[in-house]
Amino acid sequence: MSHPKLGVNIDHVATLRQARRTVEPDPVAAAVLCELAGADSITVHLREDRRHIQDRDVLVLKQSLRTTMNLEIAATDEMVAIACEVRPAQVCLVPEKRQEVTTEGGLDVIRNRAGVEKAVRALQEAGIVVSLFIDPDPAQVRESRAIGADAIELHTGAYAEAWPHAQTELVRIQEAAKETLAQGLRLHAGHGLTYWNVRPIAEIPGMAELNIGHSVMARAVLVGMERAVREMREAIKGA
Ligand code: PXP
């Protein structure tokens, strides 16, 4: 069985930097470390309000990544224009609300068909693979196929929230996954996945890519804490 590829979302590194409007930690440096540790791709979300990832990050990452970039954007003219200029390997279209803490629901492709279809076409004409972030709903999968998407990223947020009593949500994802493959689309998943709940999702037949951010960044802060403090003690002792 081949395992899904791991895309690491590094937005939180930029969130930490923006908390002080300084230069560290640099998401570009974080991306290099993620790649060295085996990440198959790097995901960043360029939000319309630029609350974490900045335009500069996207440009520098495009030049420096050894793996591939999965750029998450809203399906707006501004964002599509930026993506067409940067040309990441893949764009994932996501819904965006200004006040939300993180992406709350999937893209409603049925309701926003015209706008999403226009964005998909423009991105594909620039040679970019287009994935749509949708709720695990077979009707949304079929609509995504109808407008020509290349891939589906199934929203695992409800599954993650229900964990460890997530059987109903898991079945929903499994059913939507079957429909995705039946429609000939590439199958991805993400949102809220952790070291504990990832396995049933990784085991779904045909799962090609998982995009995971928060849980990996949270662990990175903790496993790196001891060394970081020790190094500051050394720096003070050096005085
Ligand atoms: N996939 C998409 C489309 C997302 O918007 C996000 C969050 O930015 C993720 C995956 C990663 O979610 P998490 O940070 O909860 O792992």
Side-chain angles (χ1 to χ4, degrees):
M1 194 187 103
S2 69
H3 298 290
K5 291 192 180 305
L6 171 62
V8 178
N9 181 317
I10 57 170
D11 291 348
H12 281 5
V13 177
T15 299
L16 193 53
R17 177 192 60 193
Q18 296 311 109
R20 285 290 177 91
R21 303 261 186 285
T22 177
V23 295
E24 65 169 7
D26 189 340
V28 178
V32 171
L33 294 174
C34 292
E35 289 185 325
L36 288 173
D40 297 295
S41 58
I42 300 297
T43 296
V44 286
H45 184 177
L46 185 65
R47 291 188 71 101
E48 293 186 273
D49 62 9
R50 308 300 199 273
R51 70 169 74 152
H52 42 52
I53 293 292
Q54 306 296 305
D55 299 57
R56 167 265 179 198
D57 300 327
V58 177
L59 288 171
V60 180
L61 281 168
K62 174 66 204 296
Q63 289 167 4
S64 53
L65 289 184
R66 289 284 173 270
T67 60
T68 56
M69 183 193 297
N70 174 38
L71 179 63
E72 292 178 5
I73 53 167
T76 63
D77 290 346
E78 183 206 3
M79 287 299 156
V80 170
I82 291 172
C84 287
E85 201 172 316
V86 175
R87 291 177 193 248
Q90 179 171 284
V91 158
C92 181
L93 292 176
V94 300
E96 213 175 281
K97 291 191 218 121
R98 276 181 192 259
Q99 300 310 322
E100 68 191 358
V101 175
T102 180
T103 316
E104 283 168 357
L107 199 59
D108 189 340
V109 187
I110 296 170
R111 214 185 248 178
N112 303 299
R113 179 178 173 136
V116 179
E117 186 171 17
K118 183 175 155 218
V120 169
R121 194 150 312 147
L123 293 162
Q124 287 174 336
E125 274 168 17
I128 300 165
V129 170
V130 183
S131 160
L132 302 182
F133 185 54
I134 59 168
D135 289 330
D137 172 356
Q140 294 286 349
V141 173
R142 286 190 288 274
E143 194 71 7
S144 302
R145 169 76 180 91
I147 64 164
D150 302 294
I152 291 299
E153 180 168 327
L154 293 175
H155 195 319
T156 51
Y159 160 83
E161 266 177 40
W163 183 266
H165 308 289
Q167 191 55 28
T168 309
E169 294 300 334
L170 179 59
V171 171
R172 278 185 72 202
I173 294 169
Q174 288 166 334
E175 293 302 318
K178 270 189 215 151
E179 186 65 27
T180 302
L181 297 176
Q183 295 289 335
L185 300 173
R186 288 189 220 175
L187 175 62
H188 306 163
H191 212 285
L193 295 178
T194 67
Y195 294 85
W196 297 274
N197 68 22
V198 71
R199 192 161 168 177
I201 301 296
E203 286 174 348
I204 293 175
M207 186 58 71
E209 177 180 313
L210 298 176
N211 286 301
I212 309 180
H214 184 86
S215 196
V216 176
M217 296 303 118
R219 181 160 292 209
V221 168
L222 293 187
V223 301
M225 190 67 77
E226 200 180 327
R227 177 167 164 191
V229 173
R230 219 181 294 123
E231 287 178 3
M232 185 56 83
R233 284 261 22 123
E234 291 305 316
I236 292 168
K237 272 194 212 154

